[in-house]
Short mmCIF file of all heavy atoms in Angstrom, two decimals:
data_model
loop_
_atom_site.label_atom_id
_atom_site.label_comp_id
_atom_site.label_asym_id
_atom_site.label_seq_id
_atom_site.Cartn_x
_atom_site.Cartn_y
_atom_site.Cartn_z
N PRO A 1515 67.67 -3.16 216.53
CA PRO A 1515 67.65 -3.32 217.97
C PRO A 1515 66.82 -4.51 218.45
O PRO A 1515 67.03 -4.99 219.60
CB PRO A 1515 66.88 -2.01 218.46
CG PRO A 1515 66.50 -1.29 217.30
CD PRO A 1515 66.94 -1.99 215.98
N SER A 1516 65.96 -5.04 217.59
CA SER A 1516 65.12 -6.17 217.95
C SER A 1516 65.42 -7.40 217.14
O SER A 1516 65.95 -7.31 216.05
CB SER A 1516 63.67 -5.82 217.72
OG SER A 1516 63.35 -4.61 218.31
N GLU A 1517 65.02 -8.57 217.70
CA GLU A 1517 65.14 -9.81 216.97
C GLU A 1517 64.15 -9.85 215.87
O GLU A 1517 63.06 -9.33 215.93
CB GLU A 1517 64.91 -10.97 218.02
CG GLU A 1517 64.84 -12.28 217.38
CD GLU A 1517 65.58 -13.35 218.24
OE1 GLU A 1517 65.95 -13.03 219.36
OE2 GLU A 1517 65.58 -14.49 217.71
N THR A 1518 64.60 -10.52 214.74
CA THR A 1518 63.66 -10.73 213.58
C THR A 1518 63.74 -12.17 213.20
O THR A 1518 64.61 -12.84 213.60
CB THR A 1518 64.07 -9.80 212.46
OG1 THR A 1518 65.16 -10.42 211.75
CG2 THR A 1518 64.41 -8.38 212.81
N PRO A 1519 62.92 -12.56 212.20
CA PRO A 1519 62.96 -13.92 211.71
C PRO A 1519 64.39 -14.22 211.06
O PRO A 1519 64.81 -15.38 210.89
CB PRO A 1519 61.91 -14.02 210.65
CG PRO A 1519 60.91 -12.98 211.07
CD PRO A 1519 61.72 -11.83 211.67
N LEU A 1520 65.12 -13.17 210.57
CA LEU A 1520 66.41 -13.38 209.99
C LEU A 1520 67.51 -13.69 211.11
O LEU A 1520 68.49 -14.39 210.84
CB LEU A 1520 66.82 -12.13 209.19
CG LEU A 1520 68.23 -12.17 208.65
CD1 LEU A 1520 68.38 -13.21 207.51
CD2 LEU A 1520 68.62 -10.80 207.99
N SER A 1521 67.26 -13.21 212.28
CA SER A 1521 68.23 -13.26 213.35
C SER A 1521 68.90 -14.65 213.52
O SER A 1521 70.16 -14.74 213.54
CB SER A 1521 67.69 -12.79 214.71
OG SER A 1521 67.19 -11.52 214.58
N PRO A 1522 68.13 -15.73 213.64
CA PRO A 1522 68.75 -17.08 213.87
C PRO A 1522 69.65 -17.47 212.77
O PRO A 1522 70.53 -18.32 212.90
CB PRO A 1522 67.56 -18.00 214.02
CG PRO A 1522 66.30 -17.21 214.09
CD PRO A 1522 66.65 -15.83 213.55
N HIS A 1523 69.49 -16.88 211.53
CA HIS A 1523 70.26 -17.32 210.38
C HIS A 1523 71.46 -16.51 210.13
O HIS A 1523 72.38 -16.80 209.44
CB HIS A 1523 69.39 -17.25 209.09
CG HIS A 1523 68.13 -18.04 209.21
ND1 HIS A 1523 68.08 -19.39 209.07
CD2 HIS A 1523 66.84 -17.60 209.44
CE1 HIS A 1523 66.76 -19.79 209.29
NE2 HIS A 1523 66.05 -18.76 209.43
N ALA A 1524 71.45 -15.25 210.70
CA ALA A 1524 72.52 -14.32 210.45
C ALA A 1524 73.85 -14.76 211.15
O ALA A 1524 73.83 -15.38 212.22
CB ALA A 1524 72.16 -12.96 211.02
N ASP A 1525 74.99 -14.41 210.56
CA ASP A 1525 76.31 -14.76 211.14
C ASP A 1525 76.54 -13.94 212.34
O ASP A 1525 77.28 -14.28 213.26
CB ASP A 1525 77.42 -14.50 210.05
CG ASP A 1525 77.29 -15.60 208.95
OD1 ASP A 1525 77.52 -16.69 209.18
OD2 ASP A 1525 76.87 -15.19 207.84
N GLN A 1526 76.04 -12.70 212.40
CA GLN A 1526 76.11 -11.91 213.58
C GLN A 1526 74.93 -10.81 213.57
O GLN A 1526 74.58 -10.31 212.53
CB GLN A 1526 77.43 -11.09 213.64
CG GLN A 1526 77.64 -10.42 215.04
CD GLN A 1526 79.00 -9.75 215.14
OE1 GLN A 1526 79.86 -9.79 214.24
NE2 GLN A 1526 79.20 -9.13 216.28
N CYS A 1527 74.40 -10.63 214.73
CA CYS A 1527 73.34 -9.57 214.88
C CYS A 1527 73.90 -8.43 215.75
O CYS A 1527 74.39 -8.69 216.88
CB CYS A 1527 72.15 -10.16 215.58
SG CYS A 1527 71.30 -11.51 214.68
N LEU A 1528 73.92 -7.30 215.12
CA LEU A 1528 74.43 -6.07 215.82
C LEU A 1528 73.13 -5.36 216.39
O LEU A 1528 72.44 -4.83 215.59
CB LEU A 1528 75.27 -5.21 214.96
CG LEU A 1528 76.54 -5.89 214.45
CD1 LEU A 1528 77.19 -5.09 213.33
CD2 LEU A 1528 77.52 -6.11 215.56
N ARG A 1529 72.99 -5.42 217.62
CA ARG A 1529 71.72 -4.86 218.27
C ARG A 1529 71.93 -3.37 218.52
O ARG A 1529 72.66 -3.00 219.49
CB ARG A 1529 71.37 -5.60 219.52
CG ARG A 1529 71.07 -7.09 219.31
CD ARG A 1529 69.57 -7.31 218.94
NE ARG A 1529 69.33 -8.62 218.44
CZ ARG A 1529 68.95 -8.90 217.29
NH1 ARG A 1529 68.71 -7.93 216.37
NH2 ARG A 1529 68.71 -10.15 216.82
N GLY A 1530 71.38 -2.56 217.71
CA GLY A 1530 71.52 -1.10 218.00
C GLY A 1530 70.82 -0.33 216.88
O GLY A 1530 70.20 -0.90 215.99
N LEU A 1531 70.99 1.01 216.96
CA LEU A 1531 70.30 1.90 215.95
C LEU A 1531 71.27 1.89 214.68
O LEU A 1531 72.47 1.87 214.71
CB LEU A 1531 70.32 3.30 216.50
CG LEU A 1531 69.55 3.41 217.86
CD1 LEU A 1531 69.56 4.98 218.32
CD2 LEU A 1531 68.10 2.88 217.67
N ALA A 1532 70.55 1.89 213.55
CA ALA A 1532 71.21 1.92 212.22
C ALA A 1532 72.28 3.05 212.12
O ALA A 1532 73.37 2.78 211.61
CB ALA A 1532 70.18 2.04 211.13
N SER A 1533 71.97 4.22 212.63
CA SER A 1533 72.92 5.36 212.45
C SER A 1533 74.22 5.00 213.20
O SER A 1533 75.28 5.13 212.65
CB SER A 1533 72.27 6.60 213.05
OG SER A 1533 72.02 6.47 214.43
N GLU A 1534 74.13 4.55 214.42
CA GLU A 1534 75.31 4.28 215.21
C GLU A 1534 76.12 3.05 214.72
O GLU A 1534 77.26 3.02 214.62
CB GLU A 1534 74.91 4.07 216.75
CG GLU A 1534 74.43 5.37 217.36
CD GLU A 1534 73.80 5.20 218.73
OE1 GLU A 1534 73.93 4.09 219.25
OE2 GLU A 1534 73.17 6.15 219.22
N VAL A 1535 75.30 1.97 214.51
CA VAL A 1535 75.92 0.67 214.18
C VAL A 1535 76.70 0.79 212.77
O VAL A 1535 77.78 0.35 212.61
CB VAL A 1535 74.97 -0.50 214.19
CG1 VAL A 1535 75.69 -1.72 213.78
CG2 VAL A 1535 74.38 -0.59 215.60
N LEU A 1536 76.01 1.40 211.81
CA LEU A 1536 76.61 1.55 210.50
C LEU A 1536 77.81 2.45 210.50
O LEU A 1536 78.87 2.11 209.88
CB LEU A 1536 75.56 2.08 209.46
CG LEU A 1536 74.57 1.05 208.93
CD1 LEU A 1536 73.44 1.67 208.19
CD2 LEU A 1536 75.24 -0.03 208.05
N ALA A 1537 77.74 3.52 211.30
CA ALA A 1537 78.87 4.43 211.30
C ALA A 1537 80.06 3.70 211.97
O ALA A 1537 81.22 3.80 211.48
CB ALA A 1537 78.53 5.69 212.17
N SER A 1538 79.77 2.92 213.06
CA SER A 1538 80.84 2.19 213.72
C SER A 1538 81.37 1.13 212.83
O SER A 1538 82.61 0.85 212.74
CB SER A 1538 80.34 1.65 215.04
OG SER A 1538 80.72 0.32 215.27
N LEU A 1539 80.53 0.40 212.06
CA LEU A 1539 80.96 -0.64 211.17
C LEU A 1539 81.95 -0.08 210.10
O LEU A 1539 82.99 -0.64 209.79
CB LEU A 1539 79.67 -1.17 210.41
CG LEU A 1539 79.82 -2.42 209.63
CD1 LEU A 1539 79.99 -3.66 210.54
CD2 LEU A 1539 78.65 -2.62 208.73
N VAL A 1540 81.60 1.08 209.48
CA VAL A 1540 82.46 1.70 208.54
C VAL A 1540 83.74 2.18 209.08
O VAL A 1540 84.82 2.02 208.47
CB VAL A 1540 81.68 2.78 207.74
CG1 VAL A 1540 82.56 3.59 206.81
CG2 VAL A 1540 80.54 2.13 206.92
N ASN A 1541 83.70 2.66 210.33
CA ASN A 1541 84.98 3.01 211.03
C ASN A 1541 85.85 1.82 211.17
O ASN A 1541 87.08 1.87 210.95
CB ASN A 1541 84.62 3.56 212.44
CG ASN A 1541 84.41 5.10 212.26
OD1 ASN A 1541 84.86 5.71 211.36
ND2 ASN A 1541 83.66 5.61 213.25
N GLN A 1542 85.21 0.71 211.61
CA GLN A 1542 85.96 -0.56 211.85
C GLN A 1542 86.65 -0.99 210.53
O GLN A 1542 87.74 -1.40 210.50
CB GLN A 1542 85.00 -1.60 212.32
CG GLN A 1542 85.25 -2.16 213.70
CD GLN A 1542 84.39 -3.39 213.98
OE1 GLN A 1542 83.22 -3.31 213.91
NE2 GLN A 1542 85.06 -4.52 214.17
N LEU A 1543 85.83 -0.88 209.46
CA LEU A 1543 86.40 -1.37 208.19
C LEU A 1543 87.56 -0.47 207.68
O LEU A 1543 88.59 -0.97 207.19
CB LEU A 1543 85.22 -1.34 207.16
CG LEU A 1543 85.63 -1.79 205.72
CD1 LEU A 1543 86.18 -3.20 205.68
CD2 LEU A 1543 84.48 -1.65 204.78
N SER A 1544 87.40 0.82 207.86
CA SER A 1544 88.41 1.76 207.48
C SER A 1544 89.73 1.46 208.22
O SER A 1544 90.81 1.40 207.68
CB SER A 1544 88.12 3.19 207.81
OG SER A 1544 86.98 3.66 207.12
N SER A 1545 89.58 1.19 209.51
CA SER A 1545 90.81 0.84 210.34
C SER A 1545 91.41 -0.45 209.89
O SER A 1545 92.65 -0.53 209.77
CB SER A 1545 90.43 0.79 211.86
OG SER A 1545 89.74 1.93 212.21
N TRP A 1546 90.52 -1.41 209.64
CA TRP A 1546 91.02 -2.73 209.23
C TRP A 1546 91.82 -2.59 207.92
O TRP A 1546 92.94 -3.17 207.76
CB TRP A 1546 89.86 -3.71 209.04
CG TRP A 1546 90.28 -5.12 208.66
CD1 TRP A 1546 90.61 -6.08 209.51
CD2 TRP A 1546 90.38 -5.62 207.31
NE1 TRP A 1546 90.97 -7.21 208.72
CE2 TRP A 1546 90.86 -6.94 207.40
CE3 TRP A 1546 90.16 -5.05 206.04
CZ2 TRP A 1546 91.11 -7.71 206.26
CZ3 TRP A 1546 90.49 -5.87 204.93
CH2 TRP A 1546 90.90 -7.13 205.01
N LYS A 1547 91.24 -1.81 206.98
CA LYS A 1547 91.95 -1.63 205.66
C LYS A 1547 93.23 -0.95 205.85
O LYS A 1547 94.26 -1.33 205.25
CB LYS A 1547 91.04 -0.81 204.72
CG LYS A 1547 89.76 -1.53 204.30
CD LYS A 1547 89.39 -1.06 202.89
CE LYS A 1547 88.66 -2.23 202.22
NZ LYS A 1547 88.95 -2.45 200.82
N HIS A 1548 93.29 0.03 206.76
CA HIS A 1548 94.51 0.73 206.96
C HIS A 1548 95.55 -0.19 207.63
O HIS A 1548 96.67 -0.26 207.15
CB HIS A 1548 94.22 1.93 207.94
CG HIS A 1548 95.36 2.77 208.25
ND1 HIS A 1548 96.13 2.56 209.43
CD2 HIS A 1548 95.95 3.78 207.53
CE1 HIS A 1548 97.10 3.46 209.37
NE2 HIS A 1548 97.09 4.12 208.36
N ASP A 1549 95.12 -0.93 208.69
CA ASP A 1549 96.02 -1.81 209.38
C ASP A 1549 96.52 -2.95 208.54
O ASP A 1549 97.60 -3.46 208.69
CB ASP A 1549 95.35 -2.39 210.64
CG ASP A 1549 95.06 -1.30 211.62
OD1 ASP A 1549 95.53 -0.15 211.44
OD2 ASP A 1549 94.29 -1.55 212.57
N SER A 1550 95.62 -3.40 207.62
CA SER A 1550 96.03 -4.57 206.77
C SER A 1550 96.73 -4.14 205.45
O SER A 1550 96.94 -4.97 204.61
CB SER A 1550 94.90 -5.43 206.45
OG SER A 1550 93.86 -4.77 205.75
N GLY A 1551 96.97 -2.84 205.41
CA GLY A 1551 97.62 -2.31 204.16
C GLY A 1551 96.77 -2.36 202.96
O GLY A 1551 97.23 -2.35 201.82
#
Side-chain angles (χ1 to χ4, degrees):
S1516 310
E1517 173 141 4
T1518 79
L1520 176 66
S1521 306
H1523 307 284
D1525 292 291
Q1526 191 177 358
C1527 296
L1528 297 168
R1529 298 272 168 244
L1531 303 178
S1533 61
E1534 293 171 8
V1535 178
L1536 281 168
S1538 139
L1539 191 76
V1540 168
N1541 272 337
Q1542 243 190 298
L1543 179 61
S1544 297
S1545 307
W1546 182 88
K1547 288 212 153 223
H1548 181 263
D1549 295 348
S1550 62

